[in-house]
């Protein structure tokens, strides 16, 4: 019933094409995906992308001639990075009251015709299923670096890298986002992001000028994020921006920052750094690192506002709007995190089953933090797959005191390496011993990082319930048991008064969102520097 109601809300041309008779493809079923600007029809091995007749200010598809022009432009531009995926432009025809693709009758619209790419090989799918490798991101970096080297540049493109143009783009973000203040994002967050953006622009005018003079302003992809990357036999980077030269003509550093930010958004700041470092090795463009957080912040704001726009789209159903709301809030959080002036070291302190890993993953997604998990480090050192049990009994095997010390030492070394690069870290372990907490604090001080303990409180009953339930979850990497819980509880060394001053209490009776907000409040309001 719900599906029929939603279909009835669609324009007649789309309703008709959803019937397989008029839509070519190997499969008899046609499926629809919508964006703010497009209707995308999936028909077997083919995809047809039609442009909605909308004028959003930054894009105007209101006439047939414009839609034809931009369909042709989309094919031309996307063949630069995905020649095998773009097959051409199809006509939408009307004859005897029936619509068809590449059929007979009057041409009433146009669609970009594409080869369907395998969903399971899309980078966003791989990220959601924890499958991408460092080598894959290195491959993307190499492809993007080679593309940037050959991408068009010149006097007609250079002005888009001027500080005036960049200021216009950033100000547009704030102008278009302000209507969502106190509905999707707090005004304080928007103010922090705007203050950071303006300060960076005011303090780095010479840097932006040099980017133009040195030829770094290019005809780029313009929308380089994980859902536009597919690891087919030949790497395919598709769906670039065709509707606005202004959004595509940009500093190559801004393009690198877009994908780096998106990897942060998926909680994989580690892969983000792999991508960045390989790109720098390929291009020798040392200025990228200085510009990275600025452009990450800008790109996160773009993604936030695009998701906000869906909240006003009458063709987007309520479930999709709710997903867009949550995404927008996450992107605003991420944008704010890039305004921090130094990295942070967060240290989980709590017993098994208290929700440490759950909050660590959310912090990674909302703040671009690298998660260093004791469970994964321990099993990696032992040569054991993360989801395989390594338990041989308490205080034996990989859980012996000596192996536990090695695990913590490895975590500390990894944390130091990331902090040295200016990347924030959360250490996801129990930290029941005061000595291990002291070592973590000393590492943060050595690298001038912000610091906080996240101390988890939970009842015995709830902890045991979670531990027993977790055993049934696919992909669980923890070997924690109720016996381990009570043993750790007996060995726990409480935080002293000094440690308590750098502590955020994580109440496991509260939601993950509430605890996430408490950590962010501590970072942004108590220790802003």
């Amino acid at each position: 019933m719900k599906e029929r109601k939603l279909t009835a809300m669609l324009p007649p041309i789309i309703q008709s094409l959803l019937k397989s008779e008029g839509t070519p493809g190997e499969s008899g079923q046609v499926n629809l995906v919508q964006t703010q600007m497009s209707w995308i029809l999936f028909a077997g091995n083919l995809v047809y992308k039609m442009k909605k007749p909308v004028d959003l200010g930054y894009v105007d598809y209101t006439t047939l001639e414009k839609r034809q022009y931009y369909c042709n432009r989309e094919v031309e531009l996307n063949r630069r990075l995905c020649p095998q995926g773009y097959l051409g432009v199809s006509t939408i025809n009307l004859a005897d009251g029936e619509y068809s693709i590449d059929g007979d009758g009057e041409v009433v619209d146009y669609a970009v015709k594409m080869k369907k790419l395998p969903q399971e090989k899309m980078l966003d799918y791989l990220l959601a299923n924890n499958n991408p490798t460092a080598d894959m991101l290195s491959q993307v970096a190499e492809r993007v670096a080679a593309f940037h080297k050959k991408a068009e540049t010149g006097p007609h493109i250079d002005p888009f890298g001027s500080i005036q143009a960049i200021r216009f783009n950033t100000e547009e973000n704030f102008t278009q986002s302000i209507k969502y203040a106190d509905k999707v994002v707090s005004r304080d967050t928007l103010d922090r992001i705007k203050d950071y953006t303006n300060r960076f622009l005011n303090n780095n005018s010479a840097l932006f000028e040099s980017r133009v003079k040195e030829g770094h302003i290019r005809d780029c992809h313009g929308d380089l994020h994980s859902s536009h990357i597919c690891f087919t036999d030949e790497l395919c980077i598709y769906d670039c921006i065709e509707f606005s030269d202004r959004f595509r003509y940009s500093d190559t550093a801004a393009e690198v920052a877009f994908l780096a930010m998106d990897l942060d958004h998926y909680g994989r700041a580690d892969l983000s750094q792999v991508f960045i470092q390989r790109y720098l090795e390929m291009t020798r463009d040392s200025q990228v690192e200085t510009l990275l957080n600025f452009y990450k912040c800008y790109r996160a704001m773009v993604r936030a506002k695009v998701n906000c726009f869906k909240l006003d789209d009458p063709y987007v159903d309520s479930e999709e709007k709710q997903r867009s709301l949550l995404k927008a809030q996450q992107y605003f959080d991420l944008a704010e995190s890039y305004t921090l002036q130094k990295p942070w070291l967060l240290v989980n302190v709590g017993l098994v089953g208290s929700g440490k890993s759950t909050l660590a993953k959310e912090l990674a997604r909302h703040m671009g933090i690298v998660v260093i998990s004791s469970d994964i480090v321990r099993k990696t050192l032992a040569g054991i797959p993360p989801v395989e049990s390594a338990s041989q009994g308490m205080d034996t095997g990989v859980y012996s005191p000596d192996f536990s010390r090695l695990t913590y030492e490895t975590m500390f070394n990894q944390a130091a390496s990331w902090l040295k690069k200016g990347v924030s870290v959360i250490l996801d372990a129990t930290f029941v011993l005061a000595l291990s907490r002291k070592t973590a604090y000393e590492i943060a001080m050595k690298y001038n990082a912000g610091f906080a303990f996240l101390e988890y409180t939970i009842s015995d009953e709830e902890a045991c319930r979670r531990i027993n339930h977790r055993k049934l979850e696919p992909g669980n990497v923890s070997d924690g048991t109720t016996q381990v819980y009570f043993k750790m509880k007996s060995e726990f060394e409480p935080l002293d008064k000094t440690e308590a001053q750098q502590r955020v209490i994580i109440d496991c009776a509260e939601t993950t969102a509430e605890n996430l907000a408490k950590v962010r409040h501590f970072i942004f309001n108590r220790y802003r520097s």
Side-chain angles (χ1 to χ4, degrees):
M1 180 67 72
K2 180 180 177 182
E3 186 174 338
R4 287 200 298 270
K5 182 178 179 181
L6 291 174
T7 302
M9 294 171 60
L10 296 169
I13 188 171
I14 301 300
Q15 293 185 46
S16 177
L17 292 175
L18 285 173
K19 302 171 186 176
S20 59
E21 292 83 359
T23 306
E26 291 180 354
S27 171
Q29 183 176 358
V30 181
N31 296 312
L32 173 69
V33 171
Q34 291 193 65
T35 69
Q36 189 187 21
M37 298 181 289
S38 303
W39 290 295
I40 306 170
L41 300 166
F42 290 82
N45 62 331
L46 297 175
V47 179
Y48 297 93
K49 181 180 177 183
M50 295 177 60
K51 302 188 183 303
K52 292 180 178 179
V54 294
D55 183 352
L56 301 174
Y58 58 90
V59 56
D60 183 359
Y61 293 151
T62 52
T63 69
L64 181 63
E65 292 75 18
K66 288 178 179 178
R67 294 195 294 278
Q68 180 187 22
Y69 171 79
Y70 284 115
C71 281
N72 284 313
R73 190 76 171 130
E74 181 170 351
V75 171
E76 175 190 357
L77 289 167
N78 277 292
R79 282 177 172 169
R80 297 178 300 171
L81 282 166
C82 188
Q84 71 275 30
Y86 284 78
L87 304 179
V89 176
S90 291
T91 58
I92 311 297
N93 302 87
L94 176 62
D96 300 324
E98 295 293 331
Y99 294 95
S100 63
I101 296 178
D102 291 327
D104 297 325
E106 178 188 2
V107 175
V108 294
D109 222 318
Y110 296 89
V112 173
K113 182 179 180 181
M114 296 176 283
K115 177 182 176 182
K116 185 179 179 182
L117 299 171
Q119 176 66 26
E120 68 276 8
K121 293 187 178 181
M122 299 289 187
L123 181 54
D124 60 339
Y125 178 91
L126 295 170
L127 286 164
N129 291 278
N130 205 31
N131 288 329
T133 65
D135 286 345
M136 295 169 82
L137 271 301
S138 292
Q139 182 185 354
V140 174
E142 291 163 9
R143 183 69 178 276
V144 171
F147 168 64
H148 284 168
K149 184 177 181 179
K150 294 180 180 179
E152 184 182 4
T153 188
H156 64 296
I157 294 176
D158 285 346
F160 292 88
S162 70
I163 196 164
Q164 293 83 2
I166 296 168
R167 194 182 295 277
F168 178 88
N169 290 341
T170 57
E171 188 59 35
E172 184 178 60
N173 272 344
F174 300 115
T175 301
Q176 294 176 334
S177 298
I178 193 64
K179 68 177 288 189
Y180 304 103
D182 296 329
K183 299 174 185 176
V184 179
V185 59
S186 73
R187 289 183 184 273
D188 284 347
T189 293
L190 285 179
D191 288 344
R192 284 194 189 102
I193 297 169
K194 188 170 185 176
D195 288 346
Y196 162 80
T197 298
N198 289 336
R199 273 189 284 109
F200 191 93
L201 288 168
N202 292 338
N203 294 338
N204 291 278
S205 57
L207 174 59
F208 288 108
E209 289 174 8
S210 72
R211 299 296 291 174
V212 176
K213 291 177 182 177
E214 294 172 16
H216 294 294
I217 315 306
R218 302 263 168 164
D219 186 350
C220 296
H221 180 280
D223 204 16
L224 185 65
H225 54 86
S226 59
S227 60
H228 293 163
I229 298 172
C230 187
F231 293 92
T232 55
D233 294 337
E234 182 180 352
L235 177 65
C236 177
I237 302 176
Y238 67 103
D239 205 16
C240 79
I241 288 180
E242 90 291 345
F243 56 81
S244 172
D245 291 344
R246 177 167 72 90
F247 294 160
R248 207 176 58 256
Y249 293 169
S250 74
D251 194 320
T252 52
E255 181 127 290
V256 171
F258 202 161
L259 181 55
M261 178 278 299
D262 197 45
L263 293 166
D264 289 346
H265 156 77
Y266 277 95
R268 295 305 304 267
D270 56 327
L271 292 179
S272 177
Q273 288 297 313
V274 169
F275 169 69
I276 293 164
Q277 292 306 314
R278 184 57 182 151
Y279 181 88
L280 295 178
E281 290 170 5
M282 295 293 295
T283 62
R284 308 290 184 186
D285 185 356
S286 60
Q287 293 176 332
V288 168
E289 290 182 288
T290 303
L291 291 161
L292 203 58
N293 273 5
F294 170 79
Y295 277 126
K296 277 186 175 184
C297 182
Y298 167 71
R299 292 298 193 177
M301 282 291 293
V302 170
R303 296 298 291 166
K305 75 177 183 184
V306 167
N307 276 280
C308 284
F309 291 159
K310 288 185 180 181
L311 305 179
D312 302 323
D313 190 333
Y315 294 115
V316 175
D317 64 55
S318 58
E319 291 181 3
E320 177 63 22
K321 285 184 177 181
Q322 181 60 27
R323 287 192 291 269
S324 296
L325 172 64
L326 295 176
K327 284 184 180 179
Q329 290 171 335
Q330 183 188 347
Y331 280 119
F332 280 126
D333 282 354
L334 202 51
E336 185 181 31
S337 297
Y338 297 132
T339 70
L340 292 169
Q341 300 303 302
K342 61 184 179 183
W344 274 72
L345 177 60
L346 304 178
V347 177
N348 276 342
V349 180
L351 307 180
V352 295
S354 57
K356 300 185 302 298
S357 296
T358 298
L359 183 58
K361 289 176 183 177
E362 283 304 297
L363 283 164
R365 288 167 56 83
H366 286 255
M367 297 193 67
I369 294 176
V370 169
V371 178
I372 300 177
S373 163
S374 63
D375 290 321
I376 293 176
V377 169
R378 188 186 304 272
K379 292 180 181 180
T380 300
L381 289 170
I384 299 171
V387 296
E388 184 177 310
S389 175
S391 180
Q392 301 169 359
M394 291 184 286
D395 295 332
T396 62
V398 299
Y399 289 95
S400 68
D402 285 344
F403 206 94
S404 290
R405 275 193 292 273
L406 175 62
T407 298
Y408 273 78
E409 287 172 5
T410 303
M411 292 176 67
F412 292 143
N413 289 336
Q414 291 180 3
S417 177
W418 287 116
L419 293 173
K420 188 176 181 180
K421 297 175 184 176
V423 179
S424 296
V425 173
I426 181 166
L427 293 175
D428 182 20
T430 57
F431 281 91
V432 297
L433 301 180
L435 180 60
S436 62
R437 299 196 297 266
K438 180 175 182 290
T439 303
Y441 175 76
E442 289 171 348
I443 290 171
M445 295 305 99
K446 180 178 180 180
Y447 294 101
N448 190 33
F451 185 82
F453 291 115
L454 310 184
E455 185 177 11
Y456 293 71
T457 62
I458 191 169
S459 68
D460 293 345
E461 180 182 6
E462 176 61 14
C464 291
R465 186 195 68 78
R466 291 185 181 189
I467 290 168
N468 290 327
H469 181 267
R470 187 169 61 185
K471 294 176 184 177
L472 306 175
E473 294 177 351
N476 173 42
V477 301
S478 175
D479 292 326
T481 64
T482 54
Q483 291 88 346
V484 170
Y485 170 84
F486 286 108
K487 182 177 185 298
M488 283 187 173
K489 185 175 182 180
S490 68
E491 296 173 347
F492 182 78
E493 298 175 0
L495 276 67
D496 62 26
K497 291 182 179 180
T498 301
E499 290 176 313
Q501 293 175 355
Q502 299 160 313
R503 172 183 62 182
V504 181
I505 296 292
I506 305 300
D507 185 348
C508 297
E510 297 179 350
T511 66
T512 301
E514 289 170 330
N515 284 317
L516 175 67
K518 284 196 289 188
V519 177
R520 291 182 59 81
H521 183 271
F522 181 92
I523 291 173
F524 286 102
N525 294 286
R526 186 171 178 182
Y527 294 105
R528 181 71 184 107
S529 62

